[in-house]
Amino acid sequence: MAGGTLKLRLIVVLVVVVALLAAASSWLDVFRSGALIATRPATPLMNMTTAVRRFVESLREIGSLRVRNANLEAENGTLRSELTRLQEQQTSASLVTQEYAATQHTAGTLLPARVIARSPSKALDSVTIDQGAANGVALQQPVLSRGYLAGIVDQVSQHQARVLLLTNPSLLIPVIFQATRAQGLLRAGLGGLVVSEIPSNAPIESGEAVITTDLEGVVPKGIPVGTVDRTLSATSDVLRRERIASPVLFGQLEYLMVLIGEGDHD
């Protein structure tokens, strides 16, 4: 009898424990459901907050990228400017080297000079160079380009000089045809560089070299002027006129060589 009562009590206790556990589980489910329901309205708000935060961070990153891009563009501009400057220095050095090479057989002392100004008037075709009396430049000195006569110094200051180019109609240069030894006067005209006052019987041919002569003391003798291009006079004329082709690019002069010390050019 006593054993049966004990078993019954144990069974009752187990049933009560099971019931309590079941009730606790139900309450937990209720709490979980309530928590989910309570937090659902806050989920979109949290998502929106996250999106706004990411958008603001993106804006900051874009702003930072723009600043860095602007800095890089400024650095590239500086580098391009420096590269252009160095290239121009190299070009200038190359032009001076070419002028030296073209005049290596010219007797006398040559002074390189940079063209810093040009006369706007065709009737006063001249250029200004950056060398003057302080460097030995003087009046009537010949000025060369590519080894050929380009002009004559006609004004000199301490650090600059003006050069009348051969294309200036006021300049008159005594010249001689190297092969035939015929002589004449070189002057610029509408047809270009023209040598006039040539004896009609001179057997001048196209391509013959023309050089300076010192008959009137204008320039030293033997400086190349150009070559015969073609005859301008008629066969019936008493004196001949020949057009001369010069390799000097009178409209593009950047550097010239001033003959400051004369020598024998023959």
Side-chain angles (χ1 to χ4, degrees):
M1 186 69 178
T5 301
L6 180 61
K7 289 181 178 179
L8 180 61
R9 289 178 178 176
L10 289 174
I11 291 172
V12 172
V13 170
L14 288 174
V15 170
V16 171
V17 170
V18 170
L20 290 173
L21 290 174
S25 176
S26 298
W27 280 106
L28 286 174
D29 291 339
V30 171
F31 282 127
R32 288 195 189 99
S33 300
L36 289 174
I37 292 172
T39 56
R40 279 175 186 171
T43 300
L45 182 60
M46 293 174 62
N47 291 339
M48 184 179 297
T49 303
T50 302
V52 170
R53 184 175 68 253
R54 290 177 178 173
F55 178 72
V56 172
E57 291 175 352
S58 299
L59 289 179
R60 289 176 180 172
E61 186 174 351
I62 290 173
S64 177
L65 288 174
R66 285 179 176 173
V67 171
R68 280 186 287 175
N69 185 55
N71 291 337
L72 288 174
E73 287 183 354
E75 291 178 4
N76 287 337
T78 301
L79 291 174
R80 285 194 297 267
S81 175
E82 181 66 14
L83 178 61
T84 301
R85 186 183 66 82
L86 292 174
Q87 288 175 338
E88 182 61 22
Q89 287 181 351
Q90 183 178 11
T91 300
S92 297
S94 176
L95 290 174
V96 174
T97 300
Q98 291 174 18
E99 290 295 336
Y100 269 117
T103 56
Q104 61 180 333
H105 299 299
T106 301
T109 303
L110 292 164
L111 175 70
R114 184 170 62 92
V115 175
I116 58 175
R118 176 182 289 275
S119 170
S121 173
K122 185 67 177 178
L124 296 174
D125 203 349
S126 62
V127 295
T128 301
I129 57 176
D130 65 349
Q131 303 286 4
N135 304 103
V137 179
L139 293 175
Q140 295 299 111
Q141 287 177 339
V143 179
L144 284 64
S145 175
R146 299 186 174 192
Y148 286 77
L149 184 66
I152 302 294
V153 175
D154 82 319
Q155 289 184 10
V156 181
S157 64
Q158 192 67 8
H159 301 289
Q160 294 181 5
R162 190 178 76 168
V163 177
L164 289 185
L165 301 178
L166 289 188
T167 50
N168 191 313
S170 67
L171 202 57
L172 194 63
I173 306 293
V175 296
I176 186 170
F177 293 83
Q178 194 171 40
T180 60
R181 309 313 291 176
Q183 298 182 18
L185 295 174
L186 176 74
R187 172 178 280 173
L190 295 177
L193 298 178
V194 177
V195 178
S196 58
E197 309 300 319
I198 308 168
S200 59
N201 60 350
I204 298 170
E205 295 184 358
S206 177
E208 183 174 352
V210 179
I211 59 177
T212 60
T213 177
D214 59 354
L215 286 181
E216 298 185 23
V218 178
V219 293
K221 63 179 180 179
I223 300 176
V225 174
T227 56
V228 176
D229 182 24
R230 66 185 179 90
T231 301
L232 298 177
S233 56
T235 54
S236 59
D237 292 345
V238 177
L239 296 174
R240 295 180 60 167
R241 297 168 58 244
E242 301 286 341
R243 188 168 73 178
I244 306 302
S246 170
V248 177
L249 302 177
F250 292 100
Q252 302 177 27
L253 296 174
E254 293 186 62
Y255 286 90
L256 296 167
M257 304 294 284
V258 184
L259 185 59
I260 61 174
E262 298 181 11
D264 187 1
H265 295 263
D266 282 343

